[in-house]
Amino acid sequence: MSHILVFDSGIGGTSVLSHLRYRFQNSTFSYVMDNAFLPYGLQPQELIKLRIKGLIVWQEQYLSNVDMIVIACNTASTYALEEARKHTQIPIIGVVPAIKPAAYSSQTKHIALLATPATSNNTYTQKLIHDFAGGCKVEILHSTELVRIAEHFYWHSTLDQAALCEELKLLHIPYSIDRLVLGCTHFPLIADNIKECLPDHIELVDSGKAIANRAVSLLGKQEINIEKAQPKEVKFYATAPVLDSKEEVALISFS
């Protein structure tokens, strides 16, 4: 039975966690949210590197037998994944924007990346675009407000659809795109709501399923039983209090 640690600056990584729980139904999961610095999309690179290093030290002290760490945050992965791997022998998987599958499947060869400024502007993301979307026109769209909307939706199960559509309207998404890459793990949590604001021909693309596939390839096993799918509960941890939490969350520090 595997123990998988999933990490994000907030609850965005639960969009990846859901894929992992389906593929590893007998595994133990710990989910750590660094709410003290939410959102990472507004934080400098050096701070994010320090937070990831702190996470690794913390899990070594307080968790047992972690078999894999999933950094379920596009910004943290593109900023600090290689640095994180220097501090532990535990396999670490990062999440990066799904530029490659979006470019490959696009019929119009016009796609867009919707992400936080930190993710879309960094050199790693620009290299992804250069390497895998050379035949496409790629629009870069920024939003941190969608992170706030997704956080509120997760904890309170309510969403102002009109406000969401207005935020997307302000991004001036071109009608001619046919793929919209959700380049922040928060965004798939409100994917259905985002889709309602867009023309029918635009398909949303995220990395959740690919990350689960990568975890299977590294751990060399999966534990799916579709007829008796009862994933084990997740232990939630946070670096700052979560108001009106629908989960039991332990407050921690790894500063």
Side-chain angles (χ1 to χ4, degrees), residues 114 143 145-150 153 159-171 173 187 189-198:
L114 175 58
S143 178
E145 175 62 15
L146 291 180
V147 175
R148 186 198 65 78
I149 292 173
F153 178 70
L159 186 147
D160 186 335
Q161 185 67 31
L164 172 62
C165 289
E166 183 60 28
E167 171 67 11
L168 292 171
K169 183 179 178 181
L170 293 174
L171 299 178
I173 301 173
F187 300 166
L189 298 175
I190 53 174
D192 290 342
N193 302 91
I194 291 174
K195 183 65 177 171
E196 286 186 26
C197 301
L198 302 175

Side-chain angles (χ1 to χ4, degrees), residues 23-100:
R23 299 295 290 274
F24 297 92
Q25 292 175 10
N26 294 320
S27 291
T28 298
F29 289 92
S30 297
Y31 186 87
V32 178
M33 42 193 158
D34 192 10
N35 279 14
F37 291 90
L38 175 73
Y40 272 179
L42 294 177
Q43 306 303 333
Q45 183 172 4
E46 289 306 312
L47 184 144
I48 292 175
K49 287 183 177 180
L50 288 174
R51 300 306 288 176
I52 298 294
K53 182 179 179 180
L55 167 75
I56 291 171
V57 172
W58 173 83
Q59 66 84 26
E60 289 175 347
Q61 294 177 342
Y62 295 102
L63 299 182
S64 60
N65 302 318
V66 172
D67 297 292
M68 175 177 291
I69 298 173
V70 179
I71 301 178
C73 171
N74 287 268
T75 297
S77 297
T78 54
Y79 270 0
L81 182 59
E82 294 307 315
E83 178 69 18
R85 287 170 172 158
K86 297 176 183 178
H87 301 287
T88 182
Q89 296 300 309
I90 299 172
I92 303 178
I93 298 176
V95 179
V96 298
I99 297 294
K100 183 178 180 179

Side-chain angles (χ1 to χ4, degrees), residues 139-192:
E139 307 288 344
I140 305 297
L141 311 173
H142 301 152
S143 178
T144 53
E145 175 62 15
L146 291 180
V147 175
R148 186 198 65 78
I149 292 173
E151 286 275 332
H152 186 275
F153 178 70
Y154 182 88
W155 294 115
H156 302 282
S157 300
T158 61
L159 186 147
D160 186 335
Q161 185 67 31
L164 172 62
C165 289
E166 183 60 28
E167 171 67 11
L168 292 171
K169 183 179 178 181
L170 293 174
L171 299 178
H172 302 290
I173 301 173
Y175 184 85
S176 57
I177 71 166
D178 65 348
R179 300 291 184 273
L180 179 62
V181 178
L182 301 181
C184 172
T185 53
H186 278 81
F187 300 166
L189 298 175
I190 53 174
D192 290 342

